Amino acid sequence: MSDNSVKDTSFRDKVATVDQKGHRIWMFPHKPEGKYYNARTIFSSVYLLIFFGLPFIRVNGHPVFLLDVLDRRFILFGQIFWPQDFFIFAIGLILFIIFIALFTVVFGRVFCGWACPQTIFMEMIFRKIEYLIEGDGVDQKVLAKAPWNSKKITKKVTKWVVFWAVSFIIANTFMAYLNGIEEVKKLYTEPLAKNVGTFVSMSVFTTVFFFVYLWLREQVCTVICPYGRMQGVLLDKDSVIVTYDYKRGEKRGKFNKSEQRTLGDCIDCAQCVKVCPTGIDIRNGTQLECINCTACMDACDKMMSAVGLLTGLVRYASENSVAEHKKWKFTWRMKAYSAVMCILMGVLVFLLVTRSDVGITVLRTPGQLFQQWPNHTMSNLYSYKMLNKTFKDKEVTLVAENFKGEIKMVGENKFVIPKNGYTVGTMFIYMDDQEIKDRKTVLRIGVYEGKDKISTITTSFLGPFKGN
Ligand code: SF4
Ligand code: SF4
């Protein structure tokens, strides 16, 4: 920070929500109002509509989104993923982490303020309910200090009941993402004894959500969330974050409309602090606790307008743009990072698009050597597992690609893989013994659905040792 910025940096030695004795300082942020809060309300309404609506959307009778961890079955945007697709998940996860890192370097914690479920639920659902029942921040503080009279008991109990009900709805939705909406419905249409597991999970999730939004609150962002902790290494002086323009604001001082103002534009009204849900003073500079919720931007704009000064004293800006009074620019570094992000997204899309509908593994049965037959043929015994990642039964044929031979199943001689399921079995591969040159021959097998080749698999064929 520059010379005319705040010199006292003792705020960095403590968490804003914990006092000297280590006790929690409860936050009673004032209700934000302004264009950014309105924009966030609209954005989060759409977000919540999607969150609560997605489990109900079914295409051809199948969910669009399902994260069935117990059965290890995942449906994302109508596509079935099995544990065998873990490499796509792994690459997707790595790409996502790189994406988040690059995005944060360029655009700061925009995600935290606008799209993080914790912020959305806390600020856009539970906080709004609290304002409705207990009043604005000042009223809440008064109520917290008031003795337990009938008014306080009524308000608190009402809040707890509503919080519990909302937590219950969130828990139901969460369970629908994990188990499917049908499983959740069973809890209400079938005897409880049949759905004890679902009931226990639902109760645990409801309790956890209730605890998080009633008690834990901003501590999730300021103390627990690992993403918040990484800001120190992700942000640099060109990152766009919620920033106080100390060049313009300092030296701060009270506003007096009868005097010609000789101080900076900050009128030291502390409105930006009063609305902050994490209890920090944005005028101290970038802080890990800041979730970029924009409440201080709205509060400051309101004060600036009230005293006839330019808005934007607290705004989205980079440290460099504030220090050098430059307009924000989409720099080459940002362009390069954005290009890398686009490439990474492209790689992920490519992986998803080229992913086969069928997953097949063919392994030689352990402990089995080759079998020699009288007509100059040899055979190996194999175990196979075939996965169908679609909602239609699939009949496939296996065709020898780089060898002369025959593939024969044990039992029925066709491979039918049930929809959204798998089949396992054993099969023989027969080869002309003249073709076997080594102890181990690598075989390539084409997988066909009708006339369409959908995949190629490789396995090995074990023959007799032909060394010197
Ligand atoms: S400093 Fe401003 S943007 Fe950051 S958390 Fe507080 S109110 Fe939100
Ligand atoms: S709201 Fe604006 S004017 Fe008031 S203290 Fe904060 S930065 Fe200064």
Side-chain angles (χ1 to χ4, degrees):
M1 269 205 170
S2 73
D3 290 344
N4 57 358
S5 62
V6 182
K7 294 263 175 34
D8 179 11
T9 56
S10 59
F11 66 90
R12 297 214 184 268
D13 302 332
K14 54 186 185 336
V15 180
T17 51
V18 178
D19 70 13
Q20 296 277 345
K21 289 181 181 164
H23 297 141
R24 170 102 175 254
I25 301 172
W26 279 92
M27 294 291 113
F28 300 100
H30 292 200
K31 187 172 190 284
E33 47 184 59
K35 63 178 180 193
Y36 293 103
Y37 189 65
N38 292 343
R40 282 176 61 222
T41 302
I42 293 169
F43 180 84
S44 53
S45 303
V46 176
Y47 184 104
L48 290 169
L49 203 68
I50 294 171
F51 173 78
F52 288 112
L54 213 50
F56 291 96
I57 299 174
R58 298 180 85 79
V59 177
N60 298 328
H62 306 291
V64 174
F65 223 85
L66 184 74
L67 302 170
D68 191 346
V69 182
L70 290 181
D71 284 345
R72 292 174 294 158
R73 204 165 51 105
F74 308 96
I75 301 174
L76 305 178
F77 304 107
Q79 296 284 314
I80 306 169
F81 291 84
W82 287 81
Q84 282 74 2
D85 290 313
F86 82 95
F87 73 94
I88 292 185
F89 277 104
I91 291 171
L93 196 66
I94 293 166
L95 294 183
F96 181 70
I97 291 168
I98 296 172
F99 181 88
I100 289 280
L102 294 183
F103 190 84
T104 309
V105 170
V106 179
F107 300 106
R109 288 178 80 171
V110 173
F111 171 80
C112 294
W114 289 78
C116 173
Q118 167 67 17
T119 311
I120 299 249
F121 287 142
M122 184 67 242
E123 302 303 325
M124 293 293 156
I125 299 183
F126 290 94
R127 190 89 69 190
K128 281 178 191 273
I129 293 169
E130 205 163 50
Y131 287 136
L132 218 61
I133 297 171
E134 294 188 351
D136 205 348
V138 181
D139 304 320
Q140 290 177 22
K141 201 169 182 177
V142 171
L143 188 71
K145 285 186 181 158
W148 282 94
N149 53 27
S150 60
K151 184 182 163 198
K152 181 166 175 172
I153 292 171
T154 310
K155 288 198 175 203
K156 288 288 178 193
V157 171
T158 309
K159 184 174 98 171
W160 295 337
V161 170
V162 178
F163 270 34
W164 185 271
V166 177
S167 302
F168 178 70
I169 294 169
I170 296 175
N172 273 271
T173 313
F174 194 61
M175 289 288 293
Y177 277 105
L178 295 181
N179 286 359
I181 196 77
E182 299 307 323
E183 286 301 311
V184 177
K185 275 185 196 165
K186 281 183 193 167
L187 194 57
Y188 307 102
T189 53
E190 290 181 358
L192 188 59
K194 277 186 166 180
N195 297 284
V196 175
T198 313
F199 175 74
V200 170
S201 310
M202 186 76 72
S203 308
V204 170
F205 284 134
T206 304
T207 311
V208 168
F209 287 126
F210 181 71
F211 171 72
V212 166
Y213 296 110
L214 184 77
W215 192 83
L216 212 49
R217 313 181 128 218
E218 77 289 336
Q219 300 295 312
V220 174
C221 312
T222 58
V223 181
I224 299 169
C225 175
Y227 178 58
R229 310 275 67 71
M230 280 160 51
Q231 299 309 306
V233 287
L234 290 178
L235 299 180
D236 68 13
K237 291 190 172 188
D238 283 318
S239 305
V240 180
I241 48 174
V242 174
T243 305
Y244 165 65
D245 186 344
Y246 53 86
K247 288 268 183 179
R248 196 187 125 191
E250 300 298 318
K251 187 177 178 193
R252 68 186 74 158
K254 295 289 176 201
F255 180 75
N256 188 339
K257 65 178 174 191
S258 58
E259 281 176 12
Q260 176 70 28
R261 189 162 180 87
T262 53
L263 298 168
D265 280 358
C266 175
I267 59 171
D268 211 9
C269 62
Q271 288 305 311
C272 51
V273 183
K274 288 177 183 162
V275 293
C276 181
T278 62
I280 59 168
D281 186 341
I282 191 66
R283 293 173 299 171
N284 286 335
T286 316
Q287 291 150 81
L288 293 185
E289 294 94 328
C290 177
I291 54 167
N292 275 225
C293 73
T294 72
C296 53
M297 287 165 54
D298 274 332
C300 190
D301 280 355
K302 189 177 171 191
M303 295 313 294
M304 291 291 101
S305 303
V307 297
L309 291 169
L310 270 181
T311 57
L313 181 58
V314 182
R315 63 177 183 272
Y316 277 126
S318 67
E319 162 67 17
N320 275 345
S321 73
V322 168
E324 293 162 26
H325 278 302
K326 281 182 188 160
K327 274 200 150 189
W328 183 78
K329 263 196 340 197
F330 196 46
T331 61
W332 277 107
R333 187 183 64 110
M334 292 176 179
K335 285 177 193 167
Y337 281 175
S338 304
V340 173
M341 285 193 265
C342 290
I343 292 168
L344 293 178
M345 293 309 289
V347 170
L348 190 58
V349 169
F350 174 78
L351 285 174
L352 291 173
V353 169
T354 55
R355 171 180 163 271
S356 170
D357 284 347
V358 174
I360 301 180
T361 43
V362 176
L363 297 171
R364 244 179 356 88
T365 307
Q368 294 277 334
L369 289 175
F370 59 91
Q371 296 84 41
Q372 179 75 58
W373 299 96
N375 55 349
H376 297 292
T377 56
M378 276 185 197
S379 69
N380 275 192
L381 183 65
Y382 295 84
S383 305
Y384 65 82
K385 182 170 184 178
M386 300 185 178
L387 289 173
N388 184 349
K389 302 174 191 172
T390 69
F391 294 109
K392 279 191 299 188
D393 289 347
K394 277 194 182 284
E395 187 172 339
V396 296
T397 46
L398 303 185
V399 178
E401 283 203 335
N402 67 337
F403 62 99
K404 277 194 198 133
E406 211 183 338
I407 300 167
K408 272 192 181 171
M409 289 184 65
V410 175
E412 261 190 83
N413 212 17
K414 60 179 180 178
F415 300 99
V416 178
I417 322 170
K419 61 184 175 187
N420 189 17
Y422 63 89
T423 180
V424 289
T426 46
M427 66 183 202
F428 284 100
I429 295 181
Y430 293 88
M431 278 181 76
D432 188 330
D433 58 10
Q434 297 303 309
E435 276 210 42
I436 301 161
K437 306 277 189 284
D438 287 312
R439 181 152 171 77
K440 222 177 204 184
T441 310
V442 176
L443 307 182
R444 236 182 19 252
I445 300 167
V447 183
Y448 286 77
E449 187 185 6
K451 287 182 180 165
D452 298 329
K453 184 175 169 184
I454 51 174
S455 174
T456 305
I457 47 173
T458 53
T459 188
S460 61
F461 190 96
L462 201 66
F465 182 64
K466 294 193 174 179
N468 297 328

